[in-house]
Amino acid sequence: MAEQRHEVATANASASESELSDDSQGSRNPKKRKRNQKISCELCKARKVKCDRAEPSCGWCSKNNRICVYQERKKPGMRIAYVHELEDKVNRLEAMLNSLGRRVEEHIHDHDTAVQSKTSATYSQPGYTPLSDISREAVSQNISSPTTDSSWQYSNGQRDSSRLLPEPMSVRSVVDTPDIRSTTRPRSYTASTVATRPYAIGESDLPPYDVVYNLVDLFFKHVNPWSPILDRKTTFNVLFGGARLTEDDRVLLNAIVATTLRFSSDPRLTSASRKQYHDTAKTKVLFHCLENPSIGSMQALVILAIDTIGTSCSLQGMNLLAFLARSITQLGMGNEKTVYLGAPNYTPVSNLHLSHAPQPPSWIEEEGRRRLVWMLYILDRYTTISTSSTFTFPDNDIHLRLPCTYDLFSRNAPVSTRWPRGPSPSNDPLSSSPSHLGSFSYHCEVLTILSRVHNFLSAPLNLSSPAAISHWRATYTSLDHELTAWLHSLPGEYGKISQLCHSDPGSKISNWIMLHAAFVTAVIRLHSVAAYPTISSPHFPPSHNALQRCLGAVESLREIATDTIANSMLDLLGPPFAFSLWTSARLLLVHAATLDCEVDPKIRFFISTLEAMGQYWQIALTYARTLESVVREGTKSSHSMAGKNVANGEGARSFREMRRVAWRTGRGLMGRKEGGWWEQSRVLVPAEGEVEALDVFGFFDYPRVVSEEERVGGSGQGTPVREVAGVQSPVFAMPQREADWLNFQPPHE
């Protein structure tokens, strides 16, 4: 028996080896077929019972007289028919896209001449790719293996919005399956996929996709550091996260493109295409924001206002700020709020529900609104302080805490900050740490002081009243103390900006440079009225100490600008820094006009710095050209009086004469008619150079005096501006050190 069992085992082993050999050779052995068959016949499998796998019919099938069928096992993996089906679908879709691409190109070609000339520049750029090629590349890239370049990844942000630029077309997106993009993480992007991803419908007027991506990146390098109203990670996730965008986010992208084109060095962006992209994006922003006022559209409009203000001193920029100020006031965004009005569940009769902004979904959204309002406040201050008009966004319309540091804002870490210095709500139960404040916080705060300076200097002054002069001096000293206290409140490491430029250059400190420039502007605005008054009296003589404060502030800004240029950071600063340079250079001209001497040679440095900024911000170049024209005329006049270049000096006016001309022109424009409505209006036609002189010297035209009727009828404070009878020309007196009425307490650096 044992020998028989051994023979059976040996036979089975031989049979197994034979089966393996036959299988490797592809033989059609019945035992191989049995091994490749399923473990049960079809009937036993359907009944879910164990099959004895007998041949040719199993026991159950033989007993019940049924046909026993064994099916061969199928190879693992995807079915060939399914693969062929997907390939057919891809081929059909590709053919369809090719056909649509040809039809679009034929439509553009057959369009009328006017529209064709407008769009030809866009489609003739080197970065333009036909629609059929874009779609083919997008499909092929998604079928291939995904990339792992982590440098293009951005995690999900806090903003719950749809996206503008959709993710590339994939096989899953063209078959009959649900759209799962809204529930998946953003894709990883590489330079190749960014360059070939198609636009959403209606965005063909934007530059190529990779150029748009780089423009958004440039925005967070050159603009957002000193205008931090957007969070970088959240914004990139919104614009390039993979899903579709709302109209507000689409308009935000256009605003960023219009503002940041000036910083791009991409060779595909010619001067003509830059202008076309800029004008198209600007038009989209204006039309959308005016028709759809919302928080998202106001963010886009503030960014566009930066572009407009940085281009020219036009009414368009002031109109944008006026619209923004009115919208923010109507929405109640200028106040700290803890109660919000929910959307009504019925059709309301009044528009009360439209006068309240919806509740922010997160703290980062709430802080973003606060930063939006404060940025509007800053832009309004810089555009208004050079005039005698009132602020578009007055201080009474804003009751907000200071914004926090950008790091806390980006991390979505809720904190409490203090109110700005000066009048603030009483009984404040919340306390805050000084570490919660950053450069943007202090910038907002110093401009609240500058606002009070502007309002203080806008009121007329009764020079013949000792009581009015005494009250004026007390207010003047109080504002000076506020500026001094603000300077000492800066964090220790940021108190000396020159040391910071050398120790840590880069965009992260450009906002602190802008901050110190704003302080210089505030010092010059306050103390220049006491140092260089256009009308002096025994009660209001010029102050030598105030003059030294002004010159010290100018020298401080010159050192800051020198360090900025040495560290190649001039492109990281915005139009407010150009305004500070413009103000400092004008003060040097006022100083020369008051002392009737040649202008300080340092003015050449300010002009050249403004010219360098002019390649990014056109308004800086306008400042430089105006200064150059005035300096050239004043230099010719001084050479003429010295007996040099008499021929070239014919018709030239000195700096003192130009300041007198500016004073008369300004008085003529601001004066009120004394006659009735029937009196014919006068038309002032400024001569050549008078407008430039007014632009330079009009900023320092102070004090504005009151008339005889106002002195008799009232206190002379807060009354409308009218002229003093008999005052035909300004009097520029020389400051006397010994008889100075202003005594500063040290330190005043």
Side-chain angles (χ1 to χ4, degrees), residues 6 74 105 207 252 284 302 352 361 368 528 552 579 620 655 737:
H6 177 71
K74 295 181 179 180
E105 292 174 354
L252 176 65
K284 287 184 178 181
V302 165
L352 179 63
S528 62
F579 182 81
F655 297 118
R737 182 191 298 268

Side-chain angles (χ1 to χ4, degrees), residues 73-327:
R73 294 178 178 177
K74 295 181 179 180
K75 294 182 178 180
M78 185 179 294
R79 290 178 296 137
I80 301 299
Y82 181 68
V83 174
H84 290 329
E85 181 183 353
L86 290 181
E87 290 180 351
D88 292 340
K89 285 187 177 181
V90 172
N91 292 333
R92 289 197 303 270
L93 289 172
E94 185 176 5
M96 184 187 303
L97 291 174
N98 288 334
S99 176
L100 291 175
R102 287 192 297 269
R103 292 176 61 184
V104 170
E105 292 174 354
E106 291 174 0
H107 174 74
I108 295 174
H109 178 73
D110 296 338
H111 208 272
D112 59 273
T113 306
V115 176
Q116 183 179 9
S117 61
K118 178 180 179 181
T119 60
S120 59
T122 302
Y123 293 96
S124 62
Q125 298 304 314
Y128 170 72
T129 307
L131 180 61
S132 57
D133 297 339
I134 290 177
S135 304
R136 190 182 303 110
E137 293 174 6
V139 172
S140 63
Q141 288 175 5
N142 282 272
I143 295 177
S144 61
S145 59
T147 60
T148 57
D149 187 358
S150 61
S151 62
W152 292 75
Q153 293 181 353
Y154 293 90
S155 60
N156 287 323
Q158 300 296 327
R159 190 173 182 178
D160 186 17
S161 302
S162 56
R163 310 297 193 255
L164 167 62
L165 301 175
E167 65 175 342
M169 184 181 297
S170 62
V171 174
R172 180 177 294 275
S173 65
V174 296
V175 297
D176 297 332
T177 55
D179 186 3
I180 61 172
R181 289 174 294 179
S182 60
T183 60
T184 57
R185 294 177 61 86
R187 293 179 56 87
S188 301
Y189 304 124
T190 62
S192 60
T193 57
V194 168
T196 56
R197 283 184 57 180
Y199 286 117
I201 297 175
E203 294 303 322
S204 59
D205 291 329
L206 286 173
Y209 190 90
D210 60 323
V211 177
V212 173
Y213 188 95
N214 292 333
L215 288 175
V216 177
D217 183 68
L218 289 173
F219 174 81
F220 285 96
K221 177 182 179 182
H222 295 275
V223 179
N224 203 69
W226 55 267
S227 174
I229 63 175
L230 300 178
D231 173 53
R232 178 186 173 91
K233 184 173 70 174
T234 303
T235 304
F236 268 95
N237 183 60
V238 167
L239 299 181
F240 307 103
R244 297 184 181 275
L245 278 192
T246 63
E247 287 297 323
D248 285 346
D249 295 324
R250 189 174 286 117
V251 168
L252 176 65
L253 181 62
N254 279 273
I256 292 176
V257 168
T259 306
T260 324
L261 277 169
R262 53 176 46 89
F263 298 108
S264 178
S265 58
D266 196 302
R268 291 171 291 178
L269 296 175
T270 63
S271 58
S273 63
R274 287 175 189 268
K275 185 178 186 305
Q276 178 186 350
Y277 290 141
H278 175 273
D279 294 346
T280 304
K282 182 178 180 179
T283 302
K284 287 184 178 181
V285 175
L286 290 176
F287 275 113
H288 174 82
C289 295
L290 293 178
E291 294 184 0
N292 304 278
S294 63
I295 296 175
S297 64
M298 283 189 288
Q299 285 181 330
L301 208 57
V302 165
I303 295 175
L304 187 65
I306 294 175
D307 169 74
T308 305
I309 294 171
T311 302
S312 64
C313 295
S314 62
L315 288 176
Q316 187 181 41
M318 302 184 70
N319 290 339
L320 289 179
L321 297 180
F323 175 79
L324 283 165
R326 188 58 181 169
S327 299

Side-chain angles (χ1 to χ4, degrees), residues 4 26 39 214 280 320 326 389 527 536 558 656 669 691 701 730:
Q4 292 178 356
I39 60 175
N214 292 333
T280 304
L320 289 179
R326 188 58 181 169
S389 59
H527 295 294
S536 62
R558 189 191 68 81
R656 173 166 289 193
L669 293 175
V691 175
D701 183 6

